[in-house]
Amino acid sequence: MFELYEAGMNLKGNRPQNALILILNSKVRSMRNLFLIVFISLLVNATYGQGGDMIVIEGGSYMPLYGDSENEVQVTAFRLDQYPVTNADYLDFVRDQKEWQKDNPIKLYVDEAYLNHWASPLDLGDALPEAAVTNVSWFAAKAYCAWKGKRLPTLDEWEYAAMAGENATDARTLEEYNQYILSWYETAHTHLNPVGTGMKNVYGIYDLHGLVWEWTYDFSSVLLSSESRQGGNSDNNLFCGASAIGATDLMDYAAFMRYAFRSSMKARYTSRNLGFRCAEDVKDNQQ
Amino acid sequence: MKQLLFLTAIYVFLATACQNEQSVHSDDPATAEETSLPEMSVYHLPGTWTNQDGQEFELKELKGKVLVMVMIYTTCKAACPRLIADMRRIEELVPEKYGDDVQYIMVSIDPETDTPERLKSFAAENDMTDKRWMFIRSTPEYTREFATVLAVNYKRISPMDFSHSNIISVFDPQGEMVYQQEGLDAKHEKTIKNIVEQAKKIGNR
């Protein structure tokens, strides 16, 4: 499945952070310099942060696919990575965090296919550095984001950001938007494309649709229906409290596919078309 | 045509999902970590927990007992009372000679509401004050992590309500999940059988 693209491309240039490290390594002589450095680092991170910018998504409410129709879900403002985490990004992570190198995590955290598209623990092999990293488990994704000082987006945050189309913050009823997603689902090997080639939405965030599916922090929180766990035996006893989704209510097949996929996953599973990106809270003084 | 493709895709997803049912035991024995725990043991999970007496502990301190675990929240009006009843029934059905080898644990999915005090009074209300019963909570993050390992799905629907799946999990003395009973009022025979099988491994009789 990896024969589709040329091997050996490496577009990863030096990043501005490298310059910053040099500055940091020189002596910090005064508080003024320190302030300057902090200021520069904020600028650098804001402009050239690894994996692109983080983009602020203003809070709001939305009606998710699940749940009863009386409850809109409130989403507070948050920042989301502009691109999915790439193979190159992830390589930086495992260079620094040896316990997450290909052969190291215990089975509680990853399955056998963890990073199996890489040649070796520190060699991407034929995997495109700019393609989204896939074959990573929820634990691995979570650890990466923590390493970056970030976190995984919640399912509601992800869905809230992903309902945006090219021109609207809620494009879910637009034919063009749904058509894009559905035709992506029918296209093979999109996970091999470089990040930035999927849909760019109105916030300026790329690839929420078009390349890979993405982990969310509470991916397992939605009770789709027991079929996804129990082989077609619809057992309502599995559910406590609120509603589970019935197939008859489905207005949004594209979203349904995501929910179906998520509910089939466990935290240690990996998949070749499942990647992730990170998020963080918006602090009051950052907006 | 599109729709047909779509339905096919959904079918494939669901079919795939069904193959991963109730994964039990890992494939092969543990590779030698710094501890001798099997790789799939939940005792690898980091995090501090607090019981109904306010005592802090790590999961690995439970090593050596058979664990029967369920995730609940004390404000639950619907299924939780039945889950508690199921747990009580299971405890009654396990032969008494194994009684002290089994720890029954109620894990709160609502750690903010379920303070140790609240857990303690909940235990008392349910007449579960014996040391065999533990009511525990951790941080939201460790709780989420633990729940994802158990494949217990939960989501906060409103400030007081959660939607969650009703699964009772059995762990062997090394912390590996060996069985999950899904759904309410399920027959407990397999659960009991698994508990007894594991309890027999404990060599103190």
Side-chain angles (χ1 to χ4, degrees):
Chain A
M1 67 204 203
F2 299 113
E3 71 282 3
L4 289 180
Y5 59 87
E6 309 256 326
M9 275 177 72
N10 189 346
L11 303 178
K12 187 187 165 194
N14 286 328
R15 290 195 162 86
Q17 279 101 328
N18 296 345
L20 179 67
I21 290 166
L22 288 179
I23 298 173
L24 283 173
N25 284 342
S26 69
K27 282 182 185 168
V28 179
R29 297 206 167 181
S30 69
M31 285 302 283
R32 205 176 124 208
N33 281 355
L34 188 63
F35 277 127
L36 194 65
I37 287 167
V38 169
F39 181 68
I40 291 171
S41 77
L42 284 176
L43 265 184
V44 167
N45 275 332
T47 320
Y48 300 105
Q50 198 163 13
D53 298 354
M54 291 195 84
I55 295 201
V56 174
I57 309 288
E58 300 295 341
S61 64
Y62 85 114
M63 187 64 70
L65 181 65
Y66 58 83
D68 58 68
S69 52
E70 285 155 37
N71 288 324
E72 289 217 317
V73 168
Q74 295 294 324
V75 176
T76 51
F78 64 103
R79 285 144 61 93
L80 191 61
D81 282 349
Q82 192 173 16
Y83 301 103
V85 173
T86 64
N87 282 312
D89 295 334
Y90 201 81
L91 183 61
D92 288 345
F93 167 60
V94 299
R95 276 206 182 101
D96 189 59
Q97 299 288 307
K98 194 163 181 289
E99 72 264 33
W100 286 104
Q101 288 173 14
K102 196 172 166 175
D103 302 325
N104 294 351
I106 57 173
K107 283 189 223 157
L108 186 66
Y109 298 136
V110 297
D111 67 14
E112 299 71 21
Y114 176 59
L115 293 178
N116 74 354
H117 62 302
W118 289 15
S120 70
L122 294 175
D123 180 4
L124 301 185
D126 291 343
L128 192 68
E130 297 77 31
V133 67
T134 60
N135 291 317
V136 287
S137 69
W138 178 82
F139 283 106
K142 196 161 76 82
Y144 176 94
C145 290
W147 178 72
K148 298 292 280 185
K150 304 178 190 175
R151 59 176 173 79
L152 283 172
T154 65
L155 187 144
D156 282 323
E157 287 171 341
W158 196 96
E159 287 288 329
Y160 183 76
M163 71 185 186
E166 288 167 350
N167 301 304
T169 52
D170 185 356
R172 290 177 299 173
T173 56
L174 302 181
E175 183 165 354
E176 196 183 54
Y177 166 87
N178 288 306
Q179 207 55 55
Y180 180 93
I181 297 175
L182 298 190
S183 64
W184 161 44
Y185 287 174
E186 290 166 8
T187 309
H189 305 306
T190 54
H191 61 286
L192 301 176
N193 300 338
V195 300
T197 55
M199 182 193 282
K200 179 188 185 184
N201 72 16
V202 67
Y203 300 112
I205 293 178
Y206 289 84
D207 308 328
L208 289 167
H209 308 291
L211 295 185
V212 296
W213 291 5
E214 298 182 8
W215 282 111
T216 59
Y217 176 62
D218 50 349
F219 73 98
S220 64
S221 68
V222 173
L223 303 167
L224 188 70
S225 77
S226 58
E227 293 94 291
S228 56
R229 285 182 60 88
Q230 287 213 314
N233 171 20
S234 179
D235 178 5
N236 285 327
N237 278 344
L238 263 178
F239 307 115
C240 164
S243 56
I245 296 166
T248 49
D249 316 321
L250 296 170
M251 320 175 303
D252 186 343
Y253 278 95
F256 175 68
M257 291 294 287
R258 290 195 296 277
Y259 286 93
F261 180 67
R262 284 174 187 140
S263 68
S264 73
M265 294 303 284
K266 290 184 179 178
R268 63 185 286 267
Y269 288 2
T270 66
S271 166
R272 71 190 171 106
N273 57 6
L274 179 62
F276 69 101
R277 73 181 74 213
C278 308
E280 63 186 16
D281 296 344
V282 171
K283 283 148 198 118
D284 292 337
N285 57 356
Q286 281 181 339
Q287 212 162 357
Chain B
M1 187 58 198
K2 278 260 152 71
Q3 283 225 327
L4 184 64
L5 276 175
F6 227 52
L7 290 174
T8 314
I10 289 173
Y11 176 79
V12 169
F13 270 115
L14 296 181
T16 318
C18 299
Q19 289 164 5
N20 313 320
E21 229 356 83
Q22 297 187 352
S23 70
V24 190
H25 293 299
S26 53
D27 310 333
D28 35 78
T31 57
E33 289 279 324
E34 69 278 5
T35 65
S36 61
L37 288 174
E39 291 202 6
M40 287 295 279
S41 170
V42 289
Y43 298 144
H44 292 290
L45 292 174
T48 305
W49 295 74
T50 311
N51 67 14
Q52 72 268 37
D53 295 318
Q55 291 161 334
E56 294 197 349
F57 66 99
E58 289 177 59
L59 288 178
K60 63 180 175 228
E61 294 173 43
L62 301 169
K63 190 178 155 186
K65 286 206 171 197
V66 180
L67 305 190
V68 183
M69 283 198 165
V70 68
M71 303 195 85
I72 56 140
Y73 57 106
T74 62
T75 48
C76 173
K77 298 282 185 289
C80 302
R82 296 165 69 190
L83 274 175
I84 297 283
D86 277 351
M87 288 287 276
R88 192 195 308 282
R89 185 79 188 124
I90 290 168
E91 196 270 342
E92 284 165 9
L93 288 170
V94 170
E96 186 52 33
K97 65 173 173 174
Y98 304 118
D100 289 334
D101 297 326
V102 187
Q103 187 77 57
Y104 299 87
I105 302 181
M106 268 58 80
V107 181
S108 171
I109 56 171
D110 186 12
E112 281 150 22
T113 308
D114 293 339
T115 59
E117 297 73 33
R118 188 172 184 112
L119 291 173
K120 191 165 179 83
S121 59
F122 185 78
E125 283 160 29
N126 286 283
D127 200 20
M128 290 173 151
T129 50
D130 189 272
K131 65 177 175 11
R132 288 178 192 177
W133 302 104
M134 270 180 99
F135 294 77
I136 68 172
R137 71 156 187 178
S138 188
T139 61
E141 189 182 346
Y142 288 130
T143 306
R144 171 68 61 188
E145 191 166 77
F146 190 67
T148 54
V149 168
L150 265 59
V152 169
N153 305 324
Y154 68 92
K155 180 168 193 69
R156 188 162 217 150
I157 301 293
S158 72
M160 293 304 275
D161 282 321
F162 284 80
S163 173
H164 72 112
S165 47
N166 301 310
I167 298 177
I168 294 175
S169 309
V170 178
F171 294 84
D172 74 8
Q174 294 289 301
E176 275 197 273
M177 191 197 294
V178 289
Y179 183 71
Q180 285 194 311
Q181 165 181 318
E182 298 192 35
L184 291 168
D185 294 335
K187 295 197 166 143
H188 301 309
E189 288 128 51
K190 279 188 181 166
T191 308
I192 306 297
K193 185 171 159 281
N194 274 279
I195 293 170
V196 168
E197 213 167 89
Q198 294 306 324
K200 282 180 180 164
K201 287 186 187 170
I202 300 169
N204 59 358
R205 77 182 53 77

